[in-house]
Amino acid sequence: MPTKAELKQQAKNVKLKVKTGDSVMIIAGKDKGQVGFVAAVSPKEQKVIVLKNNDENPEQPLPLNAAIKHRKARTQGEKSARIKIPVPLHVSNVMVLDPKTGEPTRIGRKREDGKLVRYAKKSGEILKDVKEAK
């Protein structure tokens, strides 16, 4: 049986199949079926924050799986507001979208040209990393 220190070390080296910038579909929860992109990933907690593009203001994406926070006015001229804050989702509740078909798919890893790359299992298409695209 592994020791507590070994279990902690294993938890630090968690490898997720979802990366920042991936297009994903939420498959469970109140926003089931919604499509967005991954804004942040926490491998240690196995959570992701998913946002969707805002047509009215492209610089301000809308949060999926949002909680509403009520903010009280601090000064006389300021108004009280209801702010939507994104709540992290567990990685098991999202699926990466296939770049070829746009359908949810599982992700695999394989060696190609000496590099480990991610690919969509439905179509076999290789997923481009956001860092490489820039």
Side-chain angles (χ1 to χ4, degrees):
M1 188 156 150
T3 63
K4 193 172 182 181
E6 290 171 346
L7 288 172
K8 276 188 176 180
Q9 186 63 33
Q10 287 173 356
K12 285 182 184 176
N13 300 334
V14 175
K15 191 89 169 170
L16 300 180
K17 300 190 178 187
V18 179
K19 290 190 175 185
T20 304
D22 283 348
S23 294
V24 294
M25 179 183 279
I26 298 175
I27 58 169
K30 66 179 183 179
D31 287 329
K32 182 178 179 177
Q34 295 273 351
V35 176
F37 63 92
V38 177
V41 179
S42 175
K44 193 173 182 182
E45 297 166 2
Q46 296 189 357
K47 303 239 177 191
V48 293
I49 291 179
V50 182
L51 303 176
K52 70 176 179 179
N53 291 324
N54 187 356
D55 295 332
E56 291 145 20
N57 188 2
E59 295 173 9
Q60 188 71 36
L62 298 171
L64 291 175
N65 193 42
I68 294 177
K69 183 174 181 173
H70 297 268
R71 196 185 72 194
K72 199 172 183 181
R74 294 189 194 124
T75 62
Q76 194 87 29
E78 193 179 2
K79 282 191 169 184
S80 299
R82 294 175 64 189
I83 303 168
K84 286 188 176 183
I85 296 175
V87 178
L89 282 162
H90 195 268
V91 175
S92 65
N93 294 333
V94 296
M95 281 187 90
V96 177
L97 294 178
D98 194 324
K100 202 173 199 178
T101 62
E103 294 177 358
T105 180
R106 291 181 176 164
I107 301 299
R109 291 193 186 106
K110 63 182 176 182
R111 288 224 176 262
E112 199 167 274
D113 301 329
K115 266 190 156 182
L116 198 63
V117 294
R118 298 180 308 146
Y119 71 97
K121 289 208 172 181
K122 268 192 182 173
S123 67
E125 192 82 14
I126 293 174
L127 294 169
K128 302 285 185 236
D129 288 339
V130 177
K131 292 175 188 174
E132 290 177 11
K134 287 182 182 178

